[in-house]
Amino acid sequence: MSVRTLRLPSPTHPRRALGAAAATAAVALAAVTLLPTGQAGAAGTTLRSLAEANGLYFGTAISQGDLNNAPLTAVAGSQFGMLTPTNEMKWDTIEPSRGSFSYGPADRLVSFAQTHSMRVRGHTLVWHSQLPSWVNSLPGSQVKTAMENHINNEVTHYKGKLYAWDVVNEPFNEDGSFRTDAFYNAMGSGYVADALRTARAADPTAKLYLNDYNIEGLNAKSDAMYNLVKSLKGQGVPLDGVGFQAHFILGQIPSSFKANLQRFTALGVNVAITELDDRMPLPPSADKLARQAGDYASVVNTCLTVSGCVGLTQWGVGDPDSWIPGTFPGYGAATLYDANYQPKPAYTASANALGGGTTSPTPTPTPTPTPPGASCQVSGKVSPWNTGLTEDITITNTGSTALNGWALTYTLPAGQTVTNSWNASLTPATGRVTATNLSYNATLAPGAATSFGFQATHTGDTAFPTSFSLNGTACTTS
Ligand code: G3I
């Protein structure tokens, strides 16, 4: 596969100036200029470089054990620009017994990051989970001192080396009430401000975050986080950002995600996607992977179009490293890389959303006029959900002559708008659409078939397209 010219955004971070319409247009353009999956990782096409060209970072979570996994580290060290230790900076690893600090595992991850010019998000200083039992056993009167000592020791150890800290992780219950963990029970909600102030004093250069899950959409829990952030900012408490873990389920990215992020940035904090994954019922299928690609592209686009969204971190490098199958039996395949660390359609979609498509797609051969007697058959499948759909379309050359370049034209039902495609270049996004071959699938021998697909939004009509013609000749459908 030849390396193509990249349509890289200007290094001046034009996303900050993108209006909604311009962003939509850019996304639509990117959607029709896909990088073939096998090209992922070619020079200049890393998620990291594409994200950085947009003024964002693209990170991943890595654990100490991952450092022995050569395929994993090869991907991590080249494709991602930010590292979050999966478990190694948590309280149970750092301070397993009171006053006894152990930095070896986390230091190894920081060292890996430095070797690969990656930055580090520290995760996490104050959290109810992975908290050693000695903390939970402390008399309430001693928790504040223990918490401040823990934060001060750990943040000081990494002073000047970390981009950011998740200072407090998961402070809320689903209904928006504070989680009654050791810290809340001892100090009330004031523990959050105290933790932030302690962290800032220990390292004035690290960005300080609050981080939680199920706060991506507008709901009671995100309302609680919003009110907390507003209150903290009003009191002058040091707080730089809010982390949205973004542990999504296939097809269920909240429609209010962008509006929710924007209400936080309006408070004067940055926002970050901190633990992104998108789980699906196992086993994965082409259809599910295509829908997942749409989900990832949507998340990337959301961050791109929210001024103040600083970057995205995926939780784990590949599907083998994901926490999902262990926690949600029957679910998995949640990351950008498959079991062999090969990029999935979600990778390609993410790269394209970041502008990784082609400025001038590899010139495709001019479709040759179909000779008399040539014919074609089209089949396909629509997989709809409430607001979107994916379609896989297979073209069979039922004629006796090979096609060197093809263009399939068809009519989309009203209300369907293409947002993403694979194995073909589609234009325009609505109405009478033409799907043109890419360089690697231009030839269609007699009797041969080729497939392409796309994702679209819809307004209710999820029917299969009609009136197919291949290189100007009407096709039968089956
Ligand atoms: O290290 C021990 C090992 O010695 C032992 O044999 C084994 C037996 O179960 O457990 C190992 O520890 C596990 C640890 O991961 C390291 O693999 C723990 O049981 C297991 O609970 C722990 O899970 C971590 C989880 O946080 C704990 O809540 C996951 O790896 C980690 O991915 C996950 O990350 C969290 C974020 O920090 C916060 N947001 C949610 C996210 C997913 O749960």
Side-chain angles (χ1 to χ4, degrees):
M1 191 63 58
S2 61
V3 176
R4 301 192 207 167
T5 312
L6 286 174
R7 184 178 64 81
L8 286 179
S10 142
T12 54
H13 310 160
R15 75 191 188 88
R16 309 250 174 238
L18 273 185
T24 304
V27 167
L29 177 61
V32 296
T33 54
L34 291 176
L35 285 168
T37 299
Q39 226 177 353
T45 64
T46 64
L47 284 180
R48 172 185 183 151
S49 62
L50 292 168
E52 288 171 357
N54 284 280
L56 301 178
Y57 64 78
F58 213 119
T60 189
I62 305 181
S63 68
Q64 182 187 207
D66 292 339
L67 297 179
N68 302 319
N69 181 338
L72 182 154
T73 54
V75 168
S78 60
Q79 291 284 331
F80 297 98
M82 185 75 76
L83 185 155
T84 301
T86 313
N87 289 305
E88 291 73 6
M89 288 186 176
K90 294 172 180 173
W91 197 314
D92 61 353
T93 299
I94 295 293
E95 193 185 4
S97 58
R98 192 169 189 178
S100 175
F101 292 84
S102 171
Y103 290 106
D107 284 355
R108 282 188 274 285
L109 289 164
V110 172
S111 174
F112 176 88
Q114 290 172 337
T115 301
H116 294 85
S117 302
M118 302 166 82
R119 290 180 290 167
V120 177
R121 293 194 87 258
H123 175 79
T124 174
L125 296 167
V126 180
W127 187 27
H128 74 94
S129 181
Q130 288 171 282
L131 186 64
S133 56
W134 69 262
V135 181
N136 285 314
S137 303
L138 286 176
S141 60
Q142 294 184 30
V143 172
K144 183 170 185 278
T145 304
M147 183 189 82
E148 291 174 352
N149 187 53
H150 178 81
I151 294 171
N152 187 47
N153 200 298
E154 185 167 2
V155 176
T156 300
H157 181 83
Y158 291 111
K159 184 176 181 180
K161 294 182 177 173
L162 266 54
Y163 164 72
W165 273 108
D166 288 333
V167 177
V168 176
N169 194 37
E170 303 175 4
F172 291 112
N173 295 312
E174 295 304 289
D175 66 0
S177 59
F178 270 95
R179 194 186 286 276
T180 50
D181 58 14
F183 310 104
Y184 181 84
N185 289 342
M187 292 173 266
S189 61
Y191 85 89
V192 177
D194 193 70
L196 288 163
R197 288 190 174 108
T198 307
R200 175 54 44 90
D203 183 356
T205 63
K207 306 287 185 197
L208 304 182
Y209 275 70
L210 306 178
N211 192 50
D212 215 326
Y213 62 89
N214 287 352
I215 59 166
E216 293 76 21
L218 294 165
N219 56 41
K221 193 172 182 181
S222 65
D223 285 351
M225 182 64 91
Y226 176 85
N227 290 330
L228 174 62
V229 171
K230 192 173 181 182
S231 164
L232 292 169
K233 295 300 282 184
Q235 297 168 58
V237 175
L239 173 65
D240 300 298
V242 176
F244 297 77
Q245 293 187 8
H247 294 297
F248 289 126
I249 302 170
L250 185 65
Q252 295 182 31
I253 312 294
S255 56
S256 54
F257 189 23
K258 181 175 173 181
N260 188 40
L261 294 186
Q262 285 173 327
R263 70 170 172 160
F264 279 91
T265 59
L267 292 176
V269 291
N270 285 326
V271 294
I273 314 301
T274 52
E275 303 183 15
L276 177 61
D277 46 32
D278 190 37
R279 62 185 180 266
M280 63 177 67
L282 295 172
S285 65
D287 169 57
K288 286 184 247 181
L289 292 172
R291 291 169 56 189
Q292 183 184 57
D295 282 357
Y296 267 90
S298 149
V299 174
V300 172
N301 283 325
T302 299
C303 187
L304 276 169
T305 54
V306 171
S307 178
C309 183
V310 294
L312 308 97
T313 295
Q314 172 175 266
W315 205 245
V317 174
D319 290 343
D321 322 307
S322 173
W323 66 296
I324 295 293
T327 304
F328 300 98
Y331 281 79
T335 76
L336 296 170
Y337 286 90
D338 70 14
N340 299 309
Y341 294 99
Q342 295 303 306
K344 293 160 59 179
Y347 176 98
T348 310
S350 300
N352 283 335
L354 290 166
T358 56
T359 23
S360 35
T362 302
T364 52
T366 307
T368 49
T370 311
S375 59
C376 48
Q377 185 183 57
V378 170
S379 62
K381 178 171 159 249
V382 184
S383 303
W385 62 97
N386 52 349
T387 57
L389 56 84
T390 58
E391 273 184 50
D392 292 293
I393 293 178
T394 299
I395 313 164
T396 304
N397 178 2
T398 52
S400 55
T401 306
L403 300 181
N404 181 24
W406 51 262
L408 184 76
T409 301
Y410 52 88
T411 303
L412 278 180
Q416 291 189 15
T417 304
V418 175
T419 56
N420 194 12
S421 64
W422 49 97
N423 295 339
S425 171
L426 267 60
T427 189
T430 58
R432 190 83 180 144
V433 176
T434 297
T436 306
N437 65 274
L438 300 181
S439 59
Y440 57 88
N441 60 3
T443 305
L444 201 53
T450 190
S451 296
F452 69 94
F454 63 90
Q455 183 164 30
T457 56
H458 68 78
T459 55
D461 188 344
T462 60
F464 195 60
T466 54
S467 307
F468 288 91
S469 68
L470 184 65
N471 293 2
T473 298
C475 303
T476 59
T477 52
S478 62

